[in-house]
């Protein structure tokens, strides 16, 4: 039985509205075969997504999986001093933070 060759690109651009601008278009066309690709930084991703309209089916899928709120929140500013202070107070033997008010743990 002959197996037809696998098409490397999308069959339909209906949901891939940004496909023409995406680096995968160059990969599928064979233009980046010798280039090493790197992951985008979070800052780049937030800048990329800001101001873009998502296809309604994508938005609905994100809502169904409860991930749409992440896109609404956007980029968060991290408080490195707070993170460092919490790391210093973490006790791996009890899986708790030892604070001045007593022990505390993270709950869902």
């Amino acid at each position: 039985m002959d197996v037809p060759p696998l098409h490397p690109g999308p069959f339909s651009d209906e949901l891939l509205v940004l496909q023409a601008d995406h680096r995968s278009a160059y990969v599928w066309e064979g233009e980046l075969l010798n280039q090493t690709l790197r992951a985008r930084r979070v800052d780049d991703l937030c800048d990329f997504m800001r101001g873009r309209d998502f296809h309604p089916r994508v938005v609905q899928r994100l809502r169904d999986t409860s991930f749409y709120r992440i896109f609404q929140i956007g980029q968060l500013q991290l408080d490195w001093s707070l993170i460092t202070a919490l790391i210093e107070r973490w006790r791996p033997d009890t899986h708790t933070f030892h604070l001045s008010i007593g022990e505390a743990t993270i709950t869902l």
Side-chain angles (χ1 to χ4, degrees):
M1 175 165 91
D2 291 330
V3 178
L6 181 64
H7 184 271
F11 289 109
S12 172
D13 290 336
E14 181 182 340
L15 290 177
L16 304 175
V17 295
L18 303 175
Q19 181 59 35
D21 297 332
H22 196 268
R23 68 174 100 186
S24 64
Y26 299 107
V27 172
W28 288 332
E29 293 168 7
E31 296 177 19
L32 297 179
L33 294 177
N34 297 326
Q35 183 178 350
T36 302
L37 299 178
R38 65 171 180 81
R40 288 189 173 122
R41 292 181 20 214
V42 174
D43 298 340
D44 296 339
L45 180 61
C46 290
D47 291 340
F48 175 77
M49 290 177 13
R50 187 177 297 122
R52 297 212 184 248
D53 293 326
F54 289 101
H55 190 280
R57 286 173 50 188
V58 173
V59 172
Q60 186 58 46
R61 181 65 63 152
L62 291 171
R63 284 190 173 129
D64 291 346
T65 56
S66 301
F67 282 108
Y68 187 68
R69 184 71 179 129
I70 294 172
F71 292 104
Q72 291 177 320
I73 292 172
Q75 187 175 2
L76 298 174
Q77 180 64 36
L78 296 178
D79 186 347
W80 294 106
S81 300
L82 174 63
I83 293 172
T84 301
L86 288 174
I87 289 171
E88 291 174 352
R89 296 183 175 274
W90 178 254
R91 300 297 180 261
D93 51 329
T94 59
H95 299 285
T96 58
F97 294 101
H98 286 245
L99 306 174
S100 59
I101 58 171
E103 290 186 359
T105 189
I106 298 173
T107 60
L108 297 177

